[in-house]
Amino acid sequence: EVQLLESGGGLVQPGGSLRLSCAASGFTFSSFGMNWVRQVPGKGLEWVSYITSSGSSINYADSVKGRFTMSRDNAKNSLYLQMNSLRDEDTAVYYCARAGYGGNTPDHWGQGTLVTVSS
Amino acid sequence: SALTQPASVSGSAGQSITISCTGTSSDVGAYNLVSWYQQHPGKAPKHMIYEGSKRPSGVSNRFSGSKSGNTASLTISGLQAEDEADYYCCSYGGYNTWVFGGGTELTVL
């Protein structure tokens, strides 16, 4: 069974930093691209970033480009999102999602971790 | 920009409903890579349709997807109370980027 477990969320002040982690199990992690997707409470989903299976290529939404850094450690079956220069509008539940079906679809999702940016 | 979905739809138990998802020639219209997700309150999204019309294993055949031009659609037939949830469409946008719709709240009357 595919399992994704996010951690690292919490309360941070504007301008601060936070590092999210996603622990993967139940599939060959090194064979799949991965995504981060966020959701402001009560609002819709927003794609944040994607990393290829090897980690050699990473893409970001314009809203986080230059502030967020996505990475992975295939030896540890783990995915990361380093978030710097956080803003109020970054407050959201952050989900990691596997890129299944040939990498074209976020298929399996974790339960999410809440990041709150507030003074 | 986000894909356009109706904010809400409703239908009686047993009936069918369709949720539309309108994008552009750069996303929905360019690729046959639209997926649909069901999200119950406080839960993670669950994929219901991928590549426009394919159903993952375990998803009821009451759920079906289609596309015409820049608009994709999700149809749910034989509505059941458990179908009441938020539904999101998502399209590949090229260059390893994705775009989601704003979401549609489905109410089963």
Side-chain angles (χ1 to χ4, degrees):
Chain A
E1 179 190 2
V2 173
Q3 291 195 354
L4 298 166
L5 183 62
E6 302 92 339
S7 61
L11 175 64
V12 61
Q13 292 187 336
S17 298
L18 210 55
R19 189 195 195 206
L20 306 184
S21 299
C22 171
S25 61
F27 65 102
T28 304
F29 181 69
S30 60
S31 295
F32 288 84
M34 297 292 296
N35 294 277
W36 284 102
V37 179
R38 68 184 181 183
Q39 185 173 33
V40 174
K43 302 296 184 182
L45 299 167
E46 179 189 15
W47 173 79
V48 172
S49 59
Y50 168 83
I51 188 169
T52 55
S53 58
S54 66
S56 61
S57 180
I58 306 169
N59 295 81
Y60 300 95
D62 288 343
S63 57
V64 306
K65 200 172 292 183
R67 301 187 299 122
F68 289 11
T69 302
M70 187 179 188
S71 62
R72 65 189 297 160
D73 185 337
N74 285 344
K76 294 183 178 180
N77 289 344
S78 293
L79 182 72
Y80 306 102
L81 186 66
Q82 177 67 43
M83 303 185 296
N84 298 331
S85 303
L86 283 162
R87 306 167 179 168
D88 291 350
E89 56 264 35
D90 295 319
T91 294
V93 174
Y94 285 74
Y95 296 99
C96 61
R98 190 182 76 168
Y101 305 113
N104 298 319
T105 301
D107 57 1
H108 293 275
W109 300 57
Q111 286 304 301
T113 186
L114 176 62
V115 172
T116 303
V117 184
S118 175
S119 54
Chain B
S1 297
L3 307 177
T4 301
Q5 299 180 232
S8 63
V9 298
S10 62
S12 300
Q15 289 187 331
S16 296
I17 62 95
T18 296
I19 299 171
S20 62
C21 170
T22 301
T24 70
S25 58
S26 296
D27 39 58
V28 175
Y31 309 95
N32 197 25
L33 294 173
V34 173
S35 50
W36 289 90
Y37 301 87
Q38 177 191 67
Q39 186 180 36
H40 287 108
K43 301 295 187 181
K46 173 187 176 184
H47 73 295
M48 307 300 284
I49 296 288
Y50 68 100
E51 294 177 6
S53 61
K54 298 178 181 178
R55 272 189 311 275
S57 173
V59 171
S60 170
N61 59 9
R62 297 186 299 105
F63 291 82
S64 61
S66 63
K67 190 188 87 167
S68 177
N70 297 336
T71 298
S73 299
L74 173 72
T75 297
I76 309 173
S77 59
L79 275 176
Q80 299 179 0
E82 67 213 48
D83 299 333
E84 189 162 290
D86 293 329
Y87 291 85
Y88 294 89
C89 61
C90 175
S91 175
Y92 181 67
Y95 303 102
N96 286 336
T97 66
W98 282 260
V99 58
F100 284 90
T104 298
E105 181 181 19
L106 169 62
T107 300
V108 180
L109 304 172

